[in-house]
């Protein structure tokens, strides 16, 4: 409980603390759901001081967003298959697998929780979406650079991601490969 | 606290109890959020016995669904303008106004809460969606009867409702009239 190291030192103790704090957040989310634990409880679970968390992340919302982005980037990386349809189908299939898996709606629930959690929550939610939209945009930009006619990132959100999210949120699962490819083909 | 009347007698005491119970649920939802209160707390707030609620609704999930449907039907009735585009634009605008209003995501949050709340929750959520999908389908059937080419109810869910829900859930508001009409025009 005495974590007094500089927060930004790469590797070593700082990296280990980061991993322990991320794991504590993931555990608390699955046990209690978003919004039902404090920085103090994360710190106790991870075996670090509250001040370590505040120094490194500033507040709970930023920490939750960091955990969500790390998870997203590990589990749903942006594909680069050489064609727009290939990229979008692969991306949509990855997202579908992620959100229909165990605790798969973690990121969506986080976005929802952040959006109803004051200014810090709104800012953290904005950052989370902006970062994923930037990644999506660079995939679409690559398609444009190849001379393909690519939709906007917001169109992908509206007509590929939103239908899948809502069907999973409403328990209308599974999402079949034909359904997912159909969303992509309809948009492209 | 002594509510011992037959539950189904229309009007009079039964109707008053129904209204009081609905109000108690609405209040508890806005104070605590879904999933954070019991039948006993609803009963205490409404000034009726727990058994009155169980006799009439069976369980908390069915009661929550009844409240949500009553609210939906009052605030977002299905329009009948004489044309498919008119109906869909009016319907989409009603839904947008409802979900961007105070506590507007109540119904979406309910669907989400029900879908993560065991078998009774899943059944109640299914009923809620099925009822609204039936209402939507009859609007689309009227268009087909007039000889218009109408989309499926699930297409309306995927490409008109889902984008609006997700944008509101993610805090990407307001939803402009142009945006809403654009979703309809793109589908029809």
């Amino acid at each position: 409980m005495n974590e007094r190291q500089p927060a930004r030192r790469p590797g070593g103790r700082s990296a280990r603390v980061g991993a322990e704090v991320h794991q504590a957040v993931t555990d608390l989310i699955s046990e209690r759901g978003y919004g039902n634990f404090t920085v103090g409880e994360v710190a106790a679970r991870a075996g670090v001081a509250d001040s370590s968390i505040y120094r490194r992340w500033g507040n709970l919302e930023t920490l939750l967003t960091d955990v969500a982005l790390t998870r997203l980037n590990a589990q749903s990386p942006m594909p680069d298959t050489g064609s727009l349809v290939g990229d979008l189908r692969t991306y949509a299939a990855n997202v579908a697998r992620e959100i229909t898996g165990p605790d798969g709606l973690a990121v969506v629930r986080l976005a929802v929780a952040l959006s109803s959690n004051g200014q810090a929550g709104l800012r953290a939610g904005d950052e989370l979406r902006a970062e994923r939209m930037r990644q999506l945009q660079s995939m679409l930009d690559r398609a444009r650079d190849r001379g393909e006619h690519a939709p906007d990132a917001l169109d992908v959100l509206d007509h590929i991601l939103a239908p899948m999210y809502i069907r999973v949120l409403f328990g209308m699962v599974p999402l079949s490969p034909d359904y997912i490819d159909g969303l992509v083909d309809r948009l492209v």
Side-chain angles (χ1 to χ4, degrees), chain A:
Chain A
M1 298 293 273
N2 276 300
E3 153 54 8
R4 290 285 178 268
Q5 305 293 318
R8 294 287 173 189
R9 198 182 59 173
R13 176 148 177 78
S14 172
R16 199 169 68 245
V17 167
E20 277 159 4
V21 169
H22 273 224
Q23 188 59 50
V25 168
T26 303
D27 292 347
L28 285 166
I29 288 169
S30 69
E31 286 169 26
R32 306 196 196 163
Y34 285 107
N36 299 320
F37 53 88
T38 62
V39 165
E41 289 169 317
V42 173
R45 178 75 63 112
V48 304
D50 294 14
S51 56
S52 299
I53 293 182
Y54 285 114
R55 202 162 53 229
R56 186 148 165 178
W57 286 279
N59 56 42
L60 183 60
E61 290 74 21
T62 305
L63 169 58
L64 292 174
T65 303
D66 184 26
V67 172
L69 260 182
T70 303
R71 181 193 169 111
L72 270 173
N73 291 337
Q75 302 199 353
S76 304
M78 293 289 163
D80 187 3
T81 65
S83 83
L84 176 64
V85 169
D87 281 359
L88 284 174
R89 284 186 168 197
T90 304
Y91 173 60
N94 285 347
V95 170
R97 198 189 54 237
E98 161 81 359
I99 64 181
T100 55
D103 196 30
L105 284 174
V107 171
V108 176
R109 288 191 208 281
L110 170 63
V112 172
L114 290 176
S115 76
S116 53
N117 202 19
Q119 285 306 310
L122 283 176
R123 255 198 315 278
D126 284 346
E127 258 168 56
L128 174 60
R129 283 187 299 282
E131 173 57 26
R132 286 297 280 185
M133 284 290 123
R134 263 193 300 275
Q135 296 177 3
L136 180 57
Q137 190 60 56
S138 55
M139 190 175 88
L140 299 171
D141 287 345
R142 280 201 309 271
R144 286 209 184 92
D145 290 346
R146 286 190 302 260
E148 297 190 80
H149 181 70
D152 292 333
L154 282 176
D155 289 331
V156 174
L157 175 67
D158 280 345
H159 298 289
I160 296 180
L161 299 179
M164 295 197 297
Y165 286 156
I166 286 296
R167 285 186 174 224
V168 175
L169 283 167
F170 286 0
M172 300 164 72
V173 286
L175 305 173
S176 73
D178 280 355
Y179 170 73
I180 298 166
D181 289 349
L183 291 174
V184 171
D185 295 349
R186 182 181 196 124
L187 181 64
V188 173

